[in-house]
Amino acid sequence: MGSGWSSEEERQPLLGPALGPAPAAAWRSREAAAAALPAAAPGPGRVYGRRWLVLLLFSLLGFAQGLVWNTWGPIQNSARQAYGFSSWDIALLVLWGPIGFLPCFAFMWLLDKRGLRITVLLTSFLVVLGTGLRCIPIADLMLKRRLIHGGQLLNGLAGPTVMNAAPFLSTTWFSADERATATAIASMLSYLGGACAFLVGPLVVPAPNGTSPLFASENSRAHIKDRIETVLYAEFGVVCLLFSATLAYFPPRPPLPPSVAAASQRLSYRRSFCRLLSNLRFLMIALAYAIPLGVFAGWSGVLDLILTPVHVSQVDAGWIGFWSIVGGCVVGIAMARFADFIRGMLKLILLLLFSGATISSTWFTLTCLNSITHLPLTTVTLYASCILLGVFLNSSIPIFFELFVETVYPVPEGITCGVVTFLSNMFMGVLLFFLTFYHTELSWFNWCLPGSCLLSLLLILCFRESYDRLYLDVVVSV
């Protein structure tokens, strides 16, 4: 996918004739890479300073998409009073995120055939439409709820690009010793946007005074509705600015590739799926990613609802969700930078992270059952267990992405990550669907966390890692 551009001319190898013609099969193994060594170009490629601007624009788009997706979860009690949302509505507003991944393969095809710029522009335009739809002033609450649902769906359709294209962007613009860091930044900012929703929503929108929506005063309901609409208008304005900046400057690729892997040929769209579905090692590590991350994403989306039975306020739940994801983003970028310096350690890093995730998720679940376990149920223990869980799980995402690409190279990056994020969102969607019917009893949801983390830990332990793309860059670039 490193050379899957928008025209036949742009599909030519970017390193020039010095690399020589080579079929896609020539890059399928380390032996093939070593065999191509005599025809290698003398230099490792070139990087451009503008790569950081491209990374910034893409990361901010992911941040905005994550912020819009998680608008309603942290303020669900206020939204019930202002718009008359039911439990089904609240769950569905979160569920539009994984539903938006149903056409994920169409976005992967677009990224593979038309390149990064066209795909990112379409994605940002969908977010603009979605946030604008939520801001239409309508007095009819039924129609307003439908517009909000439609806006969340359009924003969900932008999810496949902001979550899948990070490894493609890092390969296209960054050298081999910066790829993991760039992947971490581009992928983590989407989660950071979801974390900021835990902060922005509860701080701007007041919590209801404890009365039911039926008996709440009109003044209180109108005040909450006005504050929610303030958040909606602010998000719409930020998204419009990002779309304008992306439209003004977002090049599809650099003039020269930053590495040999960026210039090498990749498998076709159809052959890529055949390779992925027939690779047992990939399927193993894909399940290790999809199951726990899907469970955690659904759990985070309704964290306020989960913590309500243990008498945690909407503001406290927002702070817990915020710091758990922020901690994961910081540690994830730090881990990725470490992986750039110390190569070939991705499996070991994942083993350490999921060992910690299993312990912290078990701690949280047992703490919520303090009537049986007699563990102390305090704000400190809830904060500590939730934040540690978020740190361990969220920081594993860029490490997983890099390991996926290395495992199935030369399958294009966008297709590889698209398959695994599709699986993750399907797990998340199934859990949220069951949550709509069993929202009064959430203890089973808490037990899904340690179970999924333990399963992932076992799969990673049995996984045999390989680094074919890195081997190509290191050997051919020397």
Side-chain angles (χ1 to χ4, degrees):
M1 195 164 186
S3 58
W5 315 116
S6 59
S7 68
E8 189 65 30
E9 180 181 358
E10 290 175 328
R11 289 178 178 272
Q12 300 303 316
L14 299 179
L15 285 182
L19 186 60
W27 310 110
R28 292 179 189 172
S29 65
R30 294 183 176 184
E31 291 78 9
L37 181 57
R46 179 180 175 183
V47 294
Y48 296 83
R50 72 192 77 169
R51 70 190 187 279
W52 298 108
L53 177 58
V54 173
L55 178 63
L56 176 64
L57 290 175
F58 181 86
S59 301
L60 289 178
L61 174 61
F63 178 90
Q65 197 273 341
L67 179 67
V68 173
W69 168 73
N70 199 29
T71 298
W72 303 100
I75 58 171
Q76 61 165 302
N77 292 329
S78 303
R80 291 172 190 266
Q81 190 168 105
Y83 296 105
F85 282 128
S86 64
S87 298
W88 164 254
D89 286 317
I90 296 296
L92 186 59
L93 288 171
V94 180
L95 195 60
W96 288 126
I99 290 176
F101 268 77
L102 291 178
C104 174
F105 301 109
F107 283 91
M108 289 189 293
W109 177 87
L110 183 66
L111 186 63
D112 188 41
K113 298 298 182 182
R114 301 296 296 172
L116 193 61
R117 175 177 171 81
I118 298 298
T119 309
V120 171
L121 283 176
L122 175 61
T123 299
S124 58
F125 183 66
L126 287 173
V127 180
V128 169
L129 284 180
T131 53
L133 202 62
R134 304 185 309 171
C135 295
I136 297 177
I138 297 293
D140 186 350
L141 288 182
M142 175 64 72
L143 183 56
K144 182 66 175 182
R145 288 196 295 267
R146 291 178 179 177
L147 290 176
I148 291 174
H149 279 291
Q152 293 299 121
L153 173 60
L154 289 174
N155 182 76
L157 292 174
T161 300
V162 300
M163 296 187 69
N164 298 338
F168 175 79
L169 183 147
S170 64
T171 299
T172 303
W173 283 91
F174 289 82
S175 60
D177 59 353
E178 296 176 333
R179 277 198 300 246
T181 304
T183 298
I185 295 173
S187 58
M188 289 287 94
L189 263 291
S190 176
Y191 293 88
L192 187 61
C196 285
F198 285 108
L199 179 63
V200 173
L203 289 182
V204 176
V205 180
N209 56 12
T211 59
S212 66
L214 182 63
F215 299 104
S217 66
E218 288 298 325
N219 290 335
S220 174
R221 182 179 301 168
H223 177 63
I224 292 176
K225 185 178 179 182
D226 288 341
R227 300 303 292 270
I228 293 177
E229 290 182 349
T230 299
V231 174
L232 300 184
Y233 282 118
E235 290 176 351
F236 177 62
V238 170
V239 169
C240 288
L241 288 176
L242 285 176
F243 176 72
S244 301
T246 304
L247 186 63
Y249 183 80
F250 196 92
R253 60 183 175 90
L256 292 174
S259 64
V260 175
S264 63
Q265 290 180 319
R266 304 301 173 91
L267 298 182
S268 65
Y269 189 75
R270 180 178 299 178
R271 291 184 62 192
S272 294
F273 279 99
C274 293
R275 173 71 66 89
L276 293 178
L277 296 179
S278 62
N279 191 323
L280 294 179
R281 292 195 305 124
F282 169 75
L283 295 177
M284 178 186 297
I285 199 67
L287 289 177
Y289 167 88
I291 295 176
L293 270 298
V295 171
F296 180 69
W299 179 83
S300 300
V302 291
L303 183 59
D304 183 30
L305 190 63
I306 290 174
L307 294 177
T308 298
V310 292
H311 309 292
V312 175
S313 67
Q314 180 173 283
V315 175
D316 283 335
W319 279 111
I320 291 175
F322 174 77
W323 287 116
S324 65
I325 300 177
V326 168
C329 293
V330 174
V331 175
I333 295 174
M335 285 291 183
R337 195 60 190 147
F338 174 77
D340 276 332
F341 281 111
I342 310 296
R343 300 174 182 177
M345 303 284 288
L346 298 180
K347 177 180 176 179
L348 178 59
I349 294 174
L350 288 176
L351 285 174
L352 294 175
L353 292 176
F354 272 86
S355 297
T358 303
I359 294 173
S360 56
S361 59
T362 303
W363 180 21
F364 172 81
T365 302
L366 294 178
T367 299
C368 291
L369 297 174
N370 67 318
S371 60
I372 301 175
T373 61
H374 301 292
L375 292 175
L377 178 60
T378 64
T379 303
V380 174
T381 57
L382 288 176
Y383 265 75
S385 57
C386 287
I387 291 173
L388 286 175
L389 177 61
V391 166
F392 289 128
L393 286 181
N394 286 319
S395 60
S396 70
I397 294 171
I399 307 300
F400 266 122
F401 280 179
E402 288 297 302
L403 188 58
F404 293 145
V405 175
E406 295 287 352
T407 300
V408 297
Y409 183 83
V411 175
E413 292 86 351
I415 295 178
T416 302
C417 296
V419 170
V420 294
T421 53
F422 178 82
L423 291 175
S424 177
N425 278 270
M426 291 305 101
F427 279 110
M428 172 185 170
V430 169
L431 284 173
L432 290 176
F433 178 78
F434 279 106
L435 182 64
T436 60
F437 296 100
Y438 300 99
H439 60 272
T440 57
E441 178 55 52
L442 294 175
S443 59
W444 65 271
F445 205 177
N446 288 336
W447 280 111
C448 289
L449 280 171
S452 62
C453 291
L454 180 60
L455 175 62
S456 180
L457 181 62
L458 296 176
L459 291 173
I460 296 171
L461 189 63
C462 299
F463 175 74
R464 179 174 58 84
E465 60 188 335
S466 63
Y467 299 89
D468 293 341
R469 183 185 62 165
L470 179 62
Y471 187 87
L472 176 68
D473 277 325
V474 172
V475 173
V476 177
S477 298
V478 173

